[in-house]
Amino acid sequence: MTSHGARAPRVNGAIRVPGDKSISHRALMLAALAEGSSEIRGILRSADVRSTAAVLRALGVTIPDLEADVVTIAGVGRRGLRAGVEALDCGNSGTTARLMAGILAASHFTSTLIGDASLSRRPMRRVATPLRAMGATLEPSAEGGLPMTIHGRALQGTTWHSETASAQVKSAILLAGLVADVPVEVHEPAATRDHTERMLRARGIDVRSEGNSISLVPGSALRAADTDVPGDPSSATFFAALAAMASGGTLALEHVGTNPTRTGAFDVLARMGATLKFEAFADAGGEPVARLVVSPGLLGATIIEPHEVPSLIDELPMLACVAARAQGETRVTGAAELRVKESDRITAVVQNLRAVDVDAEELPDGFVVRGSDRPLAGRIVTHGDHRIAMAFGVLSAVSGGAIAIDDPDCAIVSFPGFWELLTHVTR
Ligand code: S3P
C-alpha cells in the first residue's frame, strides 16, 4: 500500500499561512493593557481574534479595523479597562474567554462573558477555581461553562498546581497576576505553549520558567511593544499534511512559527515518512520562525505518546486523517482534552472517519486509526468545528474529492481563505 493513491494531487509552490491565533489574541490583550502604543503586523483576521478585539472594544479600548497592514493600539494601562454595558461576547473562542477571565478577575468591576453554543459548553471551572483562590468571585453556569459572571477586585498572589496541561489556564493566572501586580506561580503537569511568558518578558515583566513551573514577579511596568505575528504552525499543519500525502511535488510554507511548544505535528509527519526541511531561520519578536519545505513520502503509522500531546493538541484531527492514508495502525493516547475542544474531537474524528469508510475507533483518551488507500467518500458533520472541517477538507483533496463537508465556512474561526488556498496549491 502506498500513502498516496493515484487520486492524490501533486503540490507545488510557496504559500504563507495566516498569523498565529494564540499570539494574535495575546498581542491584542497585552497592547490594550500596556503603557503606550503598540503596533501589530501580520495579525490573524479570523472570527476568534475578532472576538477578542470586540471584547476589548466593549471594555473601552480603541482597536482599529484588523484589516489594516499595521494594527496600532493605544494601551489604556493595567487599570484602564472600563466595565462594558452589555455581556462580553467571546463567540467560539476559548482563548478569548479564559484569558479575559484572568484579566477581568483583577479589574475592579463586574462583567459577564458569553459565547456561542459550543463555547458555552466548554469547561470554565478550570480558570474560575484558581482565580477564586486569588480572591475574585466567578460564577460560571450551573454546568460549569458560560455565561460566567466575574466580580473583579484587588487580588492576592497564588501558587497554583494545575491538574490540566493548559496554556489557557496558565495564561489566565499569569494575566490575573499581571493586572493585580501580585506574585503568581503556576505548576503545570506538562509544558504547554509559552507565548504568554515570552510576550510578557518582551514587555518588561519578570517571568521565570523552571521546568514546568512558571512564576511572575510583580513590580515592573508593562511596556508597549510591537508584534510581528508568525504564521500559525497549527494552520501550517493542514498544508504540511497535504504535501505529506500528495502524489508528488514540494510545498514551501513561509514564515511559520517554530516555537518548540507548537511543533509536535511536524515531528510526527516526519516520523510517518514525509520529508520536512526547515530553512531561513529568523526571530519574530522573541518567537522563532522558519520556512518549512514539505514533500511526500510513503507514510507509515505511528504511536503518539501522551507526553507529545500538548505540542500537537490542535493538530490531532489532521494527524488522524493522515493516519487514514498511512500503512498500519496509528494510536493516540493521553489526549482526553480533545473531548472539551470546539467539539468532542475524539468522537467527531472517529465518527467522521467511519462515515468515509476508514477503520477507526475511540479510546477514552484518544483514538486508533487503521490506514488504507481505498477510495474515501461520504459526508462530514463538522459540529461547527473549524479544525474538523479543514482536516477532512485535506483528506478529501488527497482521496479523490468525494468527501462532502456540511459546514466548510466554519474554517473562518482560525483560517480565513483556507479553501481558496487549498484549491490554489492542488491546482
Ligand atoms: C491555546 C491553548 C490550547 C489550544 C487552543 C489555544 C492558547 O488550549 O488548544 O487552541 O492560545 O493558549 P488549552 O490551553 O485549553 O489546552
Side-chain angles (χ1 to χ4, degrees):
M1 183 177 69
T2 64
S3 61
H4 38 72
R7 287 161 233 89
R10 290 178 63 82
V11 286
N12 259 314
I15 60 169
R16 191 168 167 145
V17 297
D20 189 279
K21 181 153 79 72
S22 293
I23 294 174
S24 296
H25 286 296
R26 288 157 172 80
L28 287 174
M29 292 177 194
L30 294 177
L33 296 172
E35 307 286 339
S37 168
S38 306
E39 294 185 348
I40 309 173
R41 288 181 178 71
I43 196 165
L44 173 64
R45 300 178 183 103
S46 80
D48 269 12
V49 177
R50 290 185 203 285
S51 294
T52 288
V55 165
L56 291 169
R57 283 187 194 112
L59 294 166
V61 185
T62 304
I63 308 239
D65 189 11
L66 301 188
E67 300 307 319
D69 284 344
V70 181
V71 175
T72 305
I73 296 171
V76 297
R78 285 188 252 195
R79 301 266 177 272
L81 297 181
R82 296 288 166 257
V85 182
E86 289 170 1
L88 303 167
D89 190 351
C90 304
N92 189 246
S93 175
T95 308
T96 308
R98 298 205 180 104
L99 271 57
M100 285 308 305
I103 292 170
L104 293 168
S107 301
H108 297 200
F109 51 80
T110 294
S111 45
T112 299
L113 297 174
I114 58 171
D116 70 7
S118 153
L119 181 59
S120 299
R121 285 192 295 268
R122 295 180 64 190
M124 294 295 150
R125 291 193 183 112
R126 56 181 59 196
V127 289
T129 308
L131 295 170
R132 277 185 195 134
M134 295 177 74
T137 305
L138 293 95
E139 297 158 357
S141 68
E143 296 75 34
L146 300 185
M148 179 161 68
T149 295
I150 302 173
H151 304 282
R153 55 178 64 95
L155 302 182
Q156 65 208 30
T158 189
T159 297
W160 191 255
H161 293 264
S162 183
E163 283 171 17
T164 323
S166 162
Q168 293 178 357
V169 172
K170 170 178 67 180
S171 300
I173 299 168
L174 289 173
L175 292 173
L178 170 79
V179 176
D181 207 22
V182 295
V184 292
E185 213 174 294
V186 185
H187 300 271
E188 300 193 277
T192 62
R193 64 192 69 192
D194 63 354
H195 306 301
T196 304
E197 297 91 301
R198 287 174 187 248
M199 293 175 79
L200 284 172
R201 282 187 203 112
R203 288 158 179 74
I205 303 297
D206 185 357
V207 176
R208 303 175 188 178
S209 305
E210 226 186 285
N212 297 341
S213 302
I214 301 95
S215 52
L216 178 143
V217 181
S220 312
L222 180 69
R223 293 196 301 256
D226 299 340
T227 308
D228 170 14
V229 182
D232 195 320
S234 299
S235 300
T237 295
F238 294 109
F239 286 91
L242 173 78
M245 294 187 282
S247 61
T250 299
L251 189 63
L253 303 166
E254 305 285 354
H255 201 68
V256 176
T258 56
N259 180 318
T261 61
R262 298 286 303 280
T263 50
F266 301 142
D267 299 336
V268 169
L269 289 174
R271 195 155 89 207
M272 294 177 84
T275 302
L276 284 84
K277 273 190 270 173
F278 291 94
E279 50 191 51
F281 296 95
D283 178 274
E287 291 280 350
V289 294
R291 176 190 303 131
L292 170 57
V293 183
V294 189
S295 36
L298 294 181
L299 301 182
T302 191
I303 305 284
I304 298 180
E305 304 276 1
H307 73 86
E308 297 181 273
V309 166
S311 71
L312 47 70
I313 183 76
D314 293 337
E315 289 65 76
L316 285 168
M318 186 68 257
L319 293 174
C321 290
V322 177
R325 286 327 237 178
Q327 181 167 21
E329 179 179 291
T330 292
R331 179 174 283 264
V332 178
T333 55
E337 273 294 298
L338 285 181
R339 294 207 182 270
V340 291
K341 294 295 180 186
E342 286 82 331
S343 65
D344 175 340
R345 286 185 176 158
I346 294 179
T347 298
V349 159
V350 169
Q351 285 186 353
N352 282 314
L353 285 174
R354 287 185 176 172
V356 297
D357 203 23
V358 175
D359 182 0
E361 66 192 68
E362 287 192 32
L363 303 174
D365 62 343
F367 48 77
V368 175
V369 179
R370 295 176 197 93
S372 82
D373 60 1
R374 61 177 172 264
L376 303 179
R379 187 170 169 78
I380 299 306
V381 181
T382 62
H383 306 280
D385 185 334
H386 54 129
R387 297 201 197 279
I388 299 294
M390 292 187 280
F392 282 89
V394 171
L395 185 60
S396 181
V398 299
S399 61
I403 297 175
I405 316 264
D406 70 344
D407 178 19
D409 292 347
C410 65
I412 55 149
V413 161
S414 65
F415 199 151
F418 170 79
W419 299 104
E420 293 78 4
L421 205 51
L422 185 61
T423 306
H424 173 75
V425 299
T426 54
R427 228 179 1 217

